[in-house]
Amino acid sequence: MRISELSTRSAVPIPTVKFYLRERLLPPGIPAGHRQAEYGEEHLRRLRLVRILTDVGGMPLRDVRGVVDAIDDESRSLHDALGVAQYALATRETGPAGDELHAATEEVETLIRSRGWHVMPESPARTRLAHALAGLRGLGWPLGVGDLEDYADAADALATREVASVRSSGSRAEAVERMVVGTVVFDSVLSALRRMAQESHSAEA
Amino acid sequence: MRISELSTRSAVPIPTVKFYLRERLLPPGIPAGHRQAEYGEEHLRRLRLVRILTDVGGMPLRDVRGVVDAIDDESRSLHDALGVAQYALATRETGPAGDELHAATEEVETLIRSRGWHVMPESPARTRLAHALAGLRGLGWPLGVGDLEDYADAADALATREVASVRSSGSRAEAVERMVVGTVVFDSVLSALRRMAQESHSAEA
């Protein structure tokens, strides 16, 4: 298909498609005559992937590129590619430091040990959780490992199914794509569901 | 305490504290002599609240003001204040439109009915969920209500506990603050836990 059809089918304006091409978020089309190129279903799919990560996931383009690179790099093992993609999803956080962060970091370690989870020391999720817990401490709501039990149980149950579903995907590229989209989009899904349930229970109370 | 101590204890630089005062995110101190003011523990607490919402929650200051106003407006009922605060937390989303969004919106309605949830038509969480589901449809992963069952169960169980915990808080202002912080911070906590669990299960597989 030509770029105009690609734009129509993806609902992404032509100038934006051209920008993604220049930024290597979208691979080039096959040259087809004078300043024209032909695009396939894989371009449409990639375009939709970029949009869901930016629109639903709120990811900056630099991070989207990291994800796209991890999907395309065939030299990586699946687990390795999943790791690169997941770490590329990390939000950079600033936040409290000092004693509260130190105490919160210890709690995160204790939690990981108590669940028997295998999590790399450089995992951005560790830092993210520690910052959240440190912020709560600053407001006078210190949380212990026991208080996180319900959340960790829910996360564990969902992750078990999610990893199994990713592993059963067809190709390696599809598996990485599913993991990335699943991680980003289901953050949003879970957050929306939790807010609706809160509203409903608050109305009943 | 003087502004310098407020800055030290909150780890927020003095110019930022002054900015929050000008922007009415922080109530004024009590005048104490020539161009000086005295601040109390409630200022420290409010400062920490503003920081956790911006740092951990990634909220723009305009939305933080909406939350702060809902906390401070004593004329509202608790349920009403919770609603105002929660809706102020909504992220503005752009995303796919057309047939996919239409189908996804129907699914959200079906889900809400099947769970027996009471959710206002204008709830931003409805739109957010519909956009996420529409994005998945665009990638060829249409999800039905059944596929969301695990996520809705997890959200429902957490929300039940969260609403009960908020309602048992001391004052009305504290209840609203807890709900806001809980909603924002636990999005981050749950997301971090889910990513760690995914990494761990992926390593095992």
Side-chain angles (χ1 to χ4, degrees), chain A residues 48 79 86 120 128 138 150-151 156 162 187 191 195 198-199 201-202, chain B residues 48 79 86 120 128 138 151 156 161-162 187 191 195 198-199 201-202:
Chain A
R48 286 178 170 154
H79 176 64
Q86 206 193 43
M120 301 279 279
R128 188 170 183 198
D150 287 353
Y151 293 90
D156 210 335
E162 286 160 351
D187 271 354
S191 163
R195 284 163 198 229
Q198 284 174 342
E199 176 176 336
H201 289 302
S202 174
Chain B
R48 287 177 169 154
H79 176 64
Q86 207 194 41
M120 301 279 279
R128 187 169 184 200
Y151 293 89
D156 210 336
R161 274 197 35 155
E162 286 160 351
D187 272 353
S191 163
R195 283 164 199 229
Q198 284 174 344
E199 175 177 335
H201 289 301
S202 174

PDB file of all heavy atoms in Angstrom, chain A residues 48 79 86 120 128 138 150-151 156 162 187 191 195 198-199 201-202, chain B residues 48 79 86 120 128 138 151 156 161-162 187 191 195 198-199 201-202:
ATOM      1  N   ARG A  48       0.695   0.866  14.562  1.00  0.00           N
ATOM      2  CA  ARG A  48      -0.285   0.724  15.652  1.00  0.00           C
ATOM      3  C   ARG A  48       0.410   0.474  16.983  1.00  0.00           C
ATOM      4  O   ARG A  48      -0.040   0.940  18.027  1.00  0.00           O
ATOM      5  CB  ARG A  48      -1.260  -0.415  15.329  1.00  0.00           C
ATOM      6  CG  ARG A  48      -2.249  -0.018  14.253  1.00  0.00           C
ATOM      7  CD  ARG A  48      -3.191  -1.163  13.899  1.00  0.00           C
ATOM      8  NE  ARG A  48      -4.268  -0.695  13.052  1.00  0.00           N
ATOM      9  CZ  ARG A  48      -4.942  -1.453  12.190  1.00  0.00           C
ATOM     10  NH1 ARG A  48      -4.636  -2.745  12.075  1.00  0.00           N
ATOM     11  NH2 ARG A  48      -5.908  -0.952  11.463  1.00  0.00           N
ATOM     12  N   HIS A  79      14.170 -14.396  26.445  1.00  0.00           N
ATOM     13  CA  HIS A  79      14.159 -13.836  27.801  1.00  0.00           C
ATOM     14  C   HIS A  79      14.947 -12.523  27.836  1.00  0.00           C
ATOM     15  O   HIS A  79      14.545 -11.556  28.481  1.00  0.00           O
ATOM     16  CB  HIS A  79      14.740 -14.833  28.805  1.00  0.00           C
ATOM     17  CG  HIS A  79      14.839 -14.275  30.200  1.00  0.00           C
ATOM     18  ND1 HIS A  79      13.734 -13.903  30.931  1.00  0.00           N
ATOM     19  CD2 HIS A  79      15.907 -13.981  30.985  1.00  0.00           C
ATOM     20  CE1 HIS A  79      14.120 -13.424  32.109  1.00  0.00           C
ATOM     21  NE2 HIS A  79      15.432 -13.463  32.161  1.00  0.00           N
ATOM     22  N   GLN A  86      11.360  -4.663  28.602  1.00  0.00           N
ATOM     23  CA  GLN A  86      10.714  -4.259  29.854  1.00  0.00           C
ATOM     24  C   GLN A  86      11.476  -3.118  30.534  1.00  0.00           C
ATOM     25  O   GLN A  86      10.870  -2.182  31.038  1.00  0.00           O
ATOM     26  CB  GLN A  86      10.575  -5.439  30.807  1.00  0.00           C
ATOM     27  CG  GLN A  86       9.405  -5.218  31.761  1.00  0.00           C
ATOM     28  CD  GLN A  86       9.383  -6.164  32.917  1.00  0.00           C
ATOM     29  OE1 GLN A  86      10.391  -6.444  33.525  1.00  0.00           O
ATOM     30  NE2 GLN A  86       8.195  -6.624  33.249  1.00  0.00           N
ATOM     31  N   MET A 120      16.528  -8.947  38.945  1.00  0.00           N
ATOM     32  CA  MET A 120      17.883  -8.417  38.825  1.00  0.00           C
ATOM     33  C   MET A 120      18.052  -7.178  39.717  1.00  0.00           C
ATOM     34  O   MET A 120      17.108  -6.401  39.899  1.00  0.00           O
ATOM     35  CB  MET A 120      18.172  -8.006  37.381  1.00  0.00           C
ATOM     36  CG  MET A 120      18.034  -9.124  36.377  1.00  0.00           C
ATOM     37  SD  MET A 120      19.505 -10.169  36.345  1.00  0.00           S
ATOM     38  CE  MET A 120      20.553  -9.136  35.303  1.00  0.00           C
ATOM     39  N   ARG A 128      11.331   1.888  41.450  1.00  0.00           N
ATOM     40  CA  ARG A 128      10.019   2.486  41.388  1.00  0.00           C
ATOM     41  C   ARG A 128       9.213   2.184  42.652  1.00  0.00           C
ATOM     42  O   ARG A 128       8.586   3.059  43.246  1.00  0.00           O
ATOM     43  CB  ARG A 128       9.307   1.911  40.161  1.00  0.00           C
ATOM     44  CG  ARG A 128       8.024   2.582  39.882  1.00  0.00           C
ATOM     45  CD  ARG A 128       7.505   2.152  38.542  1.00  0.00           C
ATOM     46  NE  ARG A 128       6.286   2.875  38.274  1.00  0.00           N
ATOM     47  CZ  ARG A 128       5.407   2.501  37.380  1.00  0.00           C
ATOM     48  NH1 ARG A 128       5.615   1.433  36.651  1.00  0.00           N
ATOM     49  NH2 ARG A 128       4.319   3.192  37.207  1.00  0.00           N
ATOM     50  N   GLY A 138       6.989   9.278  53.960  1.00  0.00           N
ATOM     51  CA  GLY A 138       7.068  10.726  54.165  1.00  0.00           C
ATOM     52  C   GLY A 138       5.731  11.309  54.606  1.00  0.00           C
ATOM     53  O   GLY A 138       5.673  12.332  55.277  1.00  0.00           O
ATOM     54  N   ASP A 150      -1.520  -8.390  49.655  1.00  0.00           N
ATOM     55  CA  ASP A 150      -2.631  -8.479  48.700  1.00  0.00           C
ATOM     56  C   ASP A 150      -2.204  -8.030  47.307  1.00  0.00           C
ATOM     57  O   ASP A 150      -2.596  -8.626  46.301  1.00  0.00           O
ATOM     58  CB  ASP A 150      -3.798  -7.581  49.130  1.00  0.00           C
ATOM     59  CG  ASP A 150      -4.539  -8.154  50.321  1.00  0.00           C
ATOM     60  OD1 ASP A 150      -4.226  -9.294  50.726  1.00  0.00           O
ATOM     61  OD2 ASP A 150      -5.415  -7.451  50.852  1.00  0.00           O
ATOM     62  N   TYR A 151      -1.416  -6.948  47.273  1.00  0.00           N
ATOM     63  CA  TYR A 151      -0.978  -6.414  45.979  1.00  0.00           C
ATOM     64  C   TYR A 151      -0.005  -7.379  45.311  1.00  0.00           C
ATOM     65  O   TYR A 151      -0.063  -7.614  44.104  1.00  0.00           O
ATOM     66  CB  TYR A 151      -0.342  -5.029  46.155  1.00  0.00           C
ATOM     67  CG  TYR A 151      -1.352  -4.002  46.591  1.00  0.00           C
ATOM     68  CD1 TYR A 151      -1.607  -3.769  47.928  1.00  0.00           C
ATOM     69  CD2 TYR A 151      -2.093  -3.305  45.645  1.00  0.00           C
ATOM     70  CE1 TYR A 151      -2.564  -2.856  48.332  1.00  0.00           C
ATOM     71  CE2 TYR A 151      -3.054  -2.386  46.034  1.00  0.00           C
ATOM     72  CZ  TYR A 151      -3.285  -2.164  47.378  1.00  0.00           C
ATOM     73  OH  TYR A 151      -4.239  -1.273  47.775  1.00  0.00           O
ATOM     74  N   ASP A 156       1.316 -11.317  41.273  1.00  0.00           N
ATOM     75  CA  ASP A 156       1.890 -12.625  40.986  1.00  0.00           C
ATOM     76  C   ASP A 156       0.942 -13.468  40.134  1.00  0.00           C
ATOM     77  O   ASP A 156       1.344 -14.094  39.152  1.00  0.00           O
ATOM     78  CB  ASP A 156       2.186 -13.335  42.318  1.00  0.00           C
ATOM     79  CG  ASP A 156       3.368 -14.277  42.200  1.00  0.00           C
ATOM     80  OD1 ASP A 156       3.649 -14.734  41.083  1.00  0.00           O
ATOM     81  OD2 ASP A 156       4.016 -14.561  43.219  1.00  0.00           O
ATOM     82  N   GLU A 162       0.268 -14.027  32.407  1.00  0.00           N
ATOM     83  CA  GLU A 162       0.791 -13.202  31.323  1.00  0.00           C
ATOM     84  C   GLU A 162       2.033 -13.823  30.690  1.00  0.00           C
ATOM     85  O   GLU A 162       2.165 -13.870  29.462  1.00  0.00           O
ATOM     86  CB  GLU A 162       1.112 -11.789  31.852  1.00  0.00           C
ATOM     87  CG  GLU A 162      -0.155 -10.979  32.091  1.00  0.00           C
ATOM     88  CD  GLU A 162       0.032  -9.797  33.027  1.00  0.00           C
ATOM     89  OE1 GLU A 162       1.113  -9.672  33.660  1.00  0.00           O
ATOM     90  OE2 GLU A 162      -0.911  -9.010  33.162  1.00  0.00           O
ATOM     91  N   ASP A 187      -1.242  -2.086  32.518  1.00  0.00           N
ATOM     92  CA  ASP A 187      -1.126  -1.107  33.602  1.00  0.00           C
ATOM     93  C   ASP A 187      -2.348  -0.191  33.563  1.00  0.00           C
ATOM     94  O   ASP A 187      -2.962   0.106  34.581  1.00  0.00           O
ATOM     95  CB  ASP A 187       0.123  -0.223  33.421  1.00  0.00           C
ATOM     96  CG  ASP A 187       1.366  -0.821  34.073  1.00  0.00           C
ATOM     97  OD1 ASP A 187       1.243  -1.849  34.759  1.00  0.00           O
ATOM     98  OD2 ASP A 187       2.453  -0.255  33.879  1.00  0.00           O
ATOM     99  N   SER A 191      -5.481  -0.165  36.203  1.00  0.00           N
ATOM    100  CA  SER A 191      -5.715   1.091  36.889  1.00  0.00           C
ATOM    101  C   SER A 191      -7.151   1.573  36.679  1.00  0.00           C
ATOM    102  O   SER A 191      -7.828   2.016  37.620  1.00  0.00           O
ATOM    103  CB  SER A 191      -4.695   2.108  36.370  1.00  0.00           C
ATOM    104  OG  SER A 191      -5.089   3.401  36.696  1.00  0.00           O
ATOM    105  N   ARG A 195     -10.129   1.875  39.574  1.00  0.00           N
ATOM    106  CA  ARG A 195     -10.841   3.126  39.850  1.00  0.00           C
ATOM    107  C   ARG A 195     -12.353   2.956  39.744  1.00  0.00           C
ATOM    108  O   ARG A 195     -13.103   3.503  40.541  1.00  0.00           O
ATOM    109  CB  ARG A 195     -10.353   4.222  38.902  1.00  0.00           C
ATOM    110  CG  ARG A 195      -9.001   4.738  39.335  1.00  0.00           C
ATOM    111  CD  ARG A 195      -8.290   5.511  38.265  1.00  0.00           C
ATOM    112  NE  ARG A 195      -6.868   5.594  38.580  1.00  0.00           N
ATOM    113  CZ  ARG A 195      -6.149   6.713  38.567  1.00  0.00           C
ATOM    114  NH1 ARG A 195      -6.707   7.830  38.235  1.00  0.00           N
ATOM    115  NH2 ARG A 195      -4.875   6.693  38.872  1.00  0.00           N
ATOM    116  N   GLN A 198     -13.396   1.124  42.847  1.00  0.00           N
ATOM    117  CA  GLN A 198     -13.374   2.034  44.005  1.00  0.00           C
ATOM    118  C   GLN A 198     -14.608   2.922  44.010  1.00  0.00           C
ATOM    119  O   GLN A 198     -15.246   3.104  45.045  1.00  0.00           O
ATOM    120  CB  GLN A 198     -12.131   2.941  43.954  1.00  0.00           C
ATOM    121  CG  GLN A 198     -10.838   2.265  44.340  1.00  0.00           C
ATOM    122  CD  GLN A 198      -9.649   3.186  44.134  1.00  0.00           C
ATOM    123  OE1 GLN A 198      -9.751   4.185  43.415  1.00  0.00           O
ATOM    124  NE2 GLN A 198      -8.528   2.852  44.738  1.00  0.00           N
ATOM    125  N   GLU A 199     -14.925   3.480  42.852  1.00  0.00           N
ATOM    126  CA  GLU A 199     -16.093   4.356  42.773  1.00  0.00           C
ATOM    127  C   GLU A 199     -17.346   3.598  43.182  1.00  0.00           C
ATOM    128  O   GLU A 199     -18.171   4.092  43.949  1.00  0.00           O
ATOM    129  CB  GLU A 199     -16.258   4.904  41.349  1.00  0.00           C
ATOM    130  CG  GLU A 199     -17.521   5.747  41.214  1.00  0.00           C
ATOM    131  CD  GLU A 199     -17.693   6.392  39.843  1.00  0.00           C
ATOM    132  OE1 GLU A 199     -16.687   6.597  39.129  1.00  0.00           O
ATOM    133  OE2 GLU A 199     -18.856   6.682  39.492  1.00  0.00           O
ATOM    134  N   HIS A 201     -17.634   0.806  45.045  1.00  0.00           N
ATOM    135  CA  HIS A 201     -17.677   0.459  46.476  1.00  0.00           C
ATOM    136  C   HIS A 201     -17.878   1.699  47.341  1.00  0.00           C
ATOM    137  O   HIS A 201     -18.523   1.620  48.379  1.00  0.00           O
ATOM    138  CB  HIS A 201     -16.412  -0.297  46.873  1.00  0.00           C
ATOM    139  CG  HIS A 201     -16.362  -1.685  46.305  1.00  0.00           C
ATOM    140  ND1 HIS A 201     -17.334  -2.616  46.556  1.00  0.00           N
ATOM    141  CD2 HIS A 201     -15.494  -2.292  45.462  1.00  0.00           C
ATOM    142  CE1 HIS A 201     -17.061  -3.741  45.908  1.00  0.00           C
ATOM    143  NE2 HIS A 201     -15.944  -3.561  45.225  1.00  0.00           N
ATOM    144  N   SER A 202     -17.332   2.826  46.896  1.00  0.00           N
ATOM    145  CA  SER A 202     -17.531   4.056  47.659  1.00  0.00           C
ATOM    146  C   SER A 202     -18.996   4.477  47.622  1.00  0.00           C
ATOM    147  O   SER A 202     -19.550   4.951  48.609  1.00  0.00           O
ATOM    148  CB  SER A 202     -16.634   5.168  47.098  1.00  0.00           C
ATOM    149  OG  SER A 202     -16.911   6.388  47.735  1.00  0.00           O
TER     150      SER A 202
ATOM    151  N   ARG B  48       4.597  17.372  51.149  1.00  0.00           N
ATOM    152  CA  ARG B  48       4.896  15.965  50.827  1.00  0.00           C
ATOM    153  C   ARG B  48       3.830  15.377  49.917  1.00  0.00           C
ATOM    154  O   ARG B  48       4.121  14.563  49.046  1.00  0.00           O
ATOM    155  CB  ARG B  48       5.039  15.147  52.107  1.00  0.00           C
ATOM    156  CG  ARG B  48       6.338  15.457  52.822  1.00  0.00           C
ATOM    157  CD  ARG B  48       6.447  14.697  54.136  1.00  0.00           C
ATOM    158  NE  ARG B  48       7.798  14.803  54.682  1.00  0.00           N
ATOM    159  CZ  ARG B  48       8.098  14.699  55.975  1.00  0.00           C
ATOM    160  NH1 ARG B  48       7.131  14.475  56.855  1.00  0.00           N
ATOM    161  NH2 ARG B  48       9.341  14.803  56.380  1.00  0.00           N
ATOM    162  N   HIS B  79     -18.152  11.288  49.953  1.00  0.00           N
ATOM    163  CA  HIS B  79     -18.228  10.566  48.679  1.00  0.00           C
ATOM    164  C   HIS B  79     -18.030  11.531  47.508  1.00  0.00           C
ATOM    165  O   HIS B  79     -17.348  11.215  46.532  1.00  0.00           O
ATOM    166  CB  HIS B  79     -19.562   9.825  48.553  1.00  0.00           C
ATOM    167  CG  HIS B  79     -19.733   9.136  47.225  1.00  0.00           C
ATOM    168  ND1 HIS B  79     -18.921   8.099  46.823  1.00  0.00           N
ATOM    169  CD2 HIS B  79     -20.587   9.370  46.196  1.00  0.00           C
ATOM    170  CE1 HIS B  79     -19.288   7.712  45.596  1.00  0.00           C
ATOM    171  NE2 HIS B  79     -20.289   8.467  45.204  1.00  0.00           N
ATOM    172  N   GLN B  86     -10.853  11.909  42.605  1.00  0.00           N
ATOM    173  CA  GLN B  86     -10.516  10.810  41.704  1.00  0.00           C
ATOM    174  C   GLN B  86     -10.601  11.250  40.244  1.00  0.00           C
ATOM    175  O   GLN B  86      -9.749  10.901  39.440  1.00  0.00           O
ATOM    176  CB  GLN B  86     -11.417   9.594  41.949  1.00  0.00           C
ATOM    177  CG  GLN B  86     -10.704   8.317  41.545  1.00  0.00           C
ATOM    178  CD  GLN B  86     -11.614   7.126  41.430  1.00  0.00           C
ATOM    179  OE1 GLN B  86     -12.718   7.197  40.929  1.00  0.00           O
ATOM    180  NE2 GLN B  86     -11.119   6.004  41.872  1.00  0.00           N
ATOM    181  N   MET B 120     -20.399   6.128  37.262  1.00  0.00           N
ATOM    182  CA  MET B 120     -21.042   7.239  36.563  1.00  0.00           C
ATOM    183  C   MET B 120     -20.697   7.210  35.067  1.00  0.00           C
ATOM    184  O   MET B 120     -19.584   6.833  34.696  1.00  0.00           O
ATOM    185  CB  MET B 120     -20.575   8.574  37.149  1.00  0.00           C
ATOM    186  CG  MET B 120     -20.870   8.744  38.614  1.00  0.00           C
ATOM    187  SD  MET B 120     -22.578   9.266  38.895  1.00  0.00           S
ATOM    188  CE  MET B 120     -22.387  11.030  38.572  1.00  0.00           C
ATOM    189  N   ARG B 128     -10.784   5.554  29.655  1.00  0.00           N
ATOM    190  CA  ARG B 128      -9.425   5.039  29.666  1.00  0.00           C
ATOM    191  C   ARG B 128      -9.405   3.560  29.295  1.00  0.00           C
ATOM    192  O   ARG B 128      -8.592   3.111  28.486  1.00  0.00           O
ATOM    193  CB  ARG B 128      -8.880   5.228  31.083  1.00  0.00           C
ATOM    194  CG  ARG B 128      -7.439   4.898  31.183  1.00  0.00           C
ATOM    195  CD  ARG B 128      -6.917   5.367  32.522  1.00  0.00           C
ATOM    196  NE  ARG B 128      -5.499   5.125  32.564  1.00  0.00           N
ATOM    197  CZ  ARG B 128      -4.794   5.062  33.673  1.00  0.00           C
ATOM    198  NH1 ARG B 128      -5.375   5.247  34.828  1.00  0.00           N
ATOM    199  NH2 ARG B 128      -3.511   4.843  33.620  1.00  0.00           N
ATOM    200  N   GLY B 138      -6.846  -2.833  17.644  1.00  0.00           N
ATOM    201  CA  GLY B 138      -6.091  -2.365  16.485  1.00  0.00           C
ATOM    202  C   GLY B 138      -4.870  -3.230  16.206  1.00  0.00           C
ATOM    203  O   GLY B 138      -4.406  -3.320  15.076  1.00  0.00           O
ATOM    204  N   TYR B 151      -8.402  -9.625  35.814  1.00  0.00           N
ATOM    205  CA  TYR B 151      -8.021  -8.255  36.164  1.00  0.00           C
ATOM    206  C   TYR B 151      -9.117  -7.580  36.974  1.00  0.00           C
ATOM    207  O   TYR B 151      -8.850  -6.868  37.944  1.00  0.00           O
ATOM    208  CB  TYR B 151      -7.716  -7.447  34.896  1.00  0.00           C
ATOM    209  CG  TYR B 151      -6.471  -7.953  34.198  1.00  0.00           C
ATOM    210  CD1 TYR B 151      -6.542  -8.953  33.237  1.00  0.00           C
ATOM    211  CD2 TYR B 151      -5.227  -7.445  34.536  1.00  0.00           C
ATOM    212  CE1 TYR B 151      -5.404  -9.436  32.627  1.00  0.00           C
ATOM    213  CE2 TYR B 151      -4.081  -7.916  33.933  1.00  0.00           C
ATOM    214  CZ  TYR B 151      -4.167  -8.922  32.973  1.00  0.00           C
ATOM    215  OH  TYR B 151      -3.045  -9.404  32.384  1.00  0.00           O
ATOM    216  N   ASP B 156     -11.256  -5.548  41.955  1.00  0.00           N
ATOM    217  CA  ASP B 156     -12.389  -5.525  42.875  1.00  0.00           C
ATOM    218  C   ASP B 156     -11.941  -5.841  44.304  1.00  0.00           C
ATOM    219  O   ASP B 156     -12.323  -5.157  45.263  1.00  0.00           O
ATOM    220  CB  ASP B 156     -13.433  -6.554  42.404  1.00  0.00           C
ATOM    221  CG  ASP B 156     -14.842  -6.136  42.789  1.00  0.00           C
ATOM    222  OD1 ASP B 156     -14.993  -5.367  43.754  1.00  0.00           O
ATOM    223  OD2 ASP B 156     -15.793  -6.582  42.119  1.00  0.00           O
ATOM    224  N   ARG B 161     -10.933  -3.449  49.877  1.00  0.00           N
ATOM    225  CA  ARG B 161     -10.092  -3.145  51.040  1.00  0.00           C
ATOM    226  C   ARG B 161      -9.739  -1.676  51.116  1.00  0.00           C
ATOM    227  O   ARG B 161      -9.697  -1.083  52.192  1.00  0.00           O
ATOM    228  CB  ARG B 161      -8.801  -3.963  50.979  1.00  0.00           C
ATOM    229  CG  ARG B 161      -8.944  -5.326  51.590  1.00  0.00           C
ATOM    230  CD  ARG B 161      -7.618  -5.964  51.888  1.00  0.00           C
ATOM    231  NE  ARG B 161      -6.590  -5.018  52.308  1.00  0.00           N
ATOM    232  CZ  ARG B 161      -5.544  -5.342  53.062  1.00  0.00           C
ATOM    233  NH1 ARG B 161      -5.403  -6.565  53.484  1.00  0.00           N
ATOM    234  NH2 ARG B 161      -4.645  -4.442  53.367  1.00  0.00           N
ATOM    235  N   GLU B 162      -9.450  -1.082  49.941  1.00  0.00           N
ATOM    236  CA  GLU B 162      -9.019   0.314  49.920  1.00  0.00           C
ATOM    237  C   GLU B 162     -10.126   1.253  50.395  1.00  0.00           C
ATOM    238  O   GLU B 162      -9.876   2.161  51.190  1.00  0.00           O
ATOM    239  CB  GLU B 162      -8.560   0.692  48.510  1.00  0.00           C
ATOM    240  CG  GLU B 162      -7.208   0.076  48.168  1.00  0.00           C
ATOM    241  CD  GLU B 162      -6.916   0.005  46.678  1.00  0.00           C
ATOM    242  OE1 GLU B 162      -7.824   0.282  45.860  1.00  0.00           O
ATOM    243  OE2 GLU B 162      -5.786  -0.345  46.326  1.00  0.00           O
ATOM    244  N   ASP B 187      -1.197   2.629  42.039  1.00  0.00           N
ATOM    245  CA  ASP B 187      -1.010   2.327  40.609  1.00  0.00           C
ATOM    246  C   ASP B 187       0.456   1.980  40.367  1.00  0.00           C
ATOM    247  O   ASP B 187       0.787   1.021  39.681  1.00  0.00           O
ATOM    248  CB  ASP B 187      -1.346   3.555  39.736  1.00  0.00           C
ATOM    249  CG  ASP B 187      -2.817   3.623  39.348  1.00  0.00           C
ATOM    250  OD1 ASP B 187      -3.556   2.657  39.636  1.00  0.00           O
ATOM    251  OD2 ASP B 187      -3.224   4.639  38.756  1.00  0.00           O
ATOM    252  N   SER B 191       2.003  -1.724  39.567  1.00  0.00           N
ATOM    253  CA  SER B 191       2.728  -1.853  38.306  1.00  0.00           C
ATOM    254  C   SER B 191       4.147  -2.373  38.546  1.00  0.00           C
ATOM    255  O   SER B 191       4.633  -3.254  37.819  1.00  0.00           O
ATOM    256  CB  SER B 191       2.741  -0.479  37.628  1.00  0.00           C
ATOM    257  OG  SER B 191       3.710  -0.427  36.634  1.00  0.00           O
ATOM    258  N   ARG B 195       5.664  -6.058  37.325  1.00  0.00           N
ATOM    259  CA  ARG B 195       6.860  -6.177  36.480  1.00  0.00           C
ATOM    260  C   ARG B 195       7.911  -7.080  37.121  1.00  0.00           C
ATOM    261  O   ARG B 195       8.563  -7.856  36.440  1.00  0.00           O
ATOM    262  CB  ARG B 195       7.443  -4.786  36.195  1.00  0.00           C
ATOM    263  CG  ARG B 195       6.621  -4.069  35.150  1.00  0.00           C
ATOM    264  CD  ARG B 195       6.882  -2.586  35.102  1.00  0.00           C
ATOM    265  NE  ARG B 195       5.783  -1.925  34.423  1.00  0.00           N
ATOM    266  CZ  ARG B 195       5.918  -1.042  33.445  1.00  0.00           C
ATOM    267  NH1 ARG B 195       7.108  -0.693  33.026  1.00  0.00           N
ATOM    268  NH2 ARG B 195       4.876  -0.494  32.883  1.00  0.00           N
ATOM    269  N   GLN B 198       6.647 -10.593  36.701  1.00  0.00           N
ATOM    270  CA  GLN B 198       6.828 -11.021  35.303  1.00  0.00           C
ATOM    271  C   GLN B 198       8.277 -11.420  35.049  1.00  0.00           C
ATOM    272  O   GLN B 198       8.554 -12.441  34.438  1.00  0.00           O
ATOM    273  CB  GLN B 198       6.474  -9.888  34.327  1.00  0.00           C
ATOM    274  CG  GLN B 198       4.996  -9.651  34.156  1.00  0.00           C
ATOM    275  CD  GLN B 198       4.740  -8.413  33.297  1.00  0.00           C
ATOM    276  OE1 GLN B 198       5.621  -7.582  33.084  1.00  0.00           O
ATOM    277  NE2 GLN B 198       3.506  -8.288  32.797  1.00  0.00           N
ATOM    278  N   GLU B 199       9.196 -10.573  35.513  1.00  0.00           N
ATOM    279  CA  GLU B 199      10.609 -10.875  35.298  1.00  0.00           C
ATOM    280  C   GLU B 199      10.963 -12.214  35.935  1.00  0.00           C
ATOM    281  O   GLU B 199      11.628 -13.054  35.329  1.00  0.00           O
ATOM    282  CB  GLU B 199      11.496  -9.770  35.894  1.00  0.00           C
ATOM    283  CG  GLU B 199      12.974 -10.114  35.784  1.00  0.00           C
ATOM    284  CD  GLU B 199      13.911  -9.018  36.286  1.00  0.00           C
ATOM    285  OE1 GLU B 199      13.494  -7.837  36.287  1.00  0.00           O
ATOM    286  OE2 GLU B 199      15.039  -9.346  36.656  1.00  0.00           O
ATOM    287  N   HIS B 201       8.944 -14.790  36.739  1.00  0.00           N
ATOM    288  CA  HIS B 201       8.331 -15.932  36.071  1.00  0.00           C
ATOM    289  C   HIS B 201       8.952 -16.175  34.703  1.00  0.00           C
ATOM    290  O   HIS B 201       9.069 -17.313  34.266  1.00  0.00           O
ATOM    291  CB  HIS B 201       6.814 -15.746  35.942  1.00  0.00           C
ATOM    292  CG  HIS B 201       6.105 -15.860  37.254  1.00  0.00           C
ATOM    293  ND1 HIS B 201       6.168 -16.988  38.020  1.00  0.00           N
ATOM    294  CD2 HIS B 201       5.369 -14.975  37.964  1.00  0.00           C
ATOM    295  CE1 HIS B 201       5.482 -16.801  39.140  1.00  0.00           C
ATOM    296  NE2 HIS B 201       4.984 -15.579  39.128  1.00  0.00           N
ATOM    297  N   SER B 202       9.376 -15.092  34.041  1.00  0.00           N
ATOM    298  CA  SER B 202      10.025 -15.264  32.743  1.00  0.00           C
ATOM    299  C   SER B 202      11.376 -15.964  32.911  1.00  0.00           C
ATOM    300  O   SER B 202      11.779 -16.796  32.105  1.00  0.00           O
ATOM    301  CB  SER B 202      10.214 -13.900  32.066  1.00  0.00           C
ATOM    302  OG  SER B 202      10.955 -14.035  30.884  1.00  0.00           O
TER     303      SER B 202
END
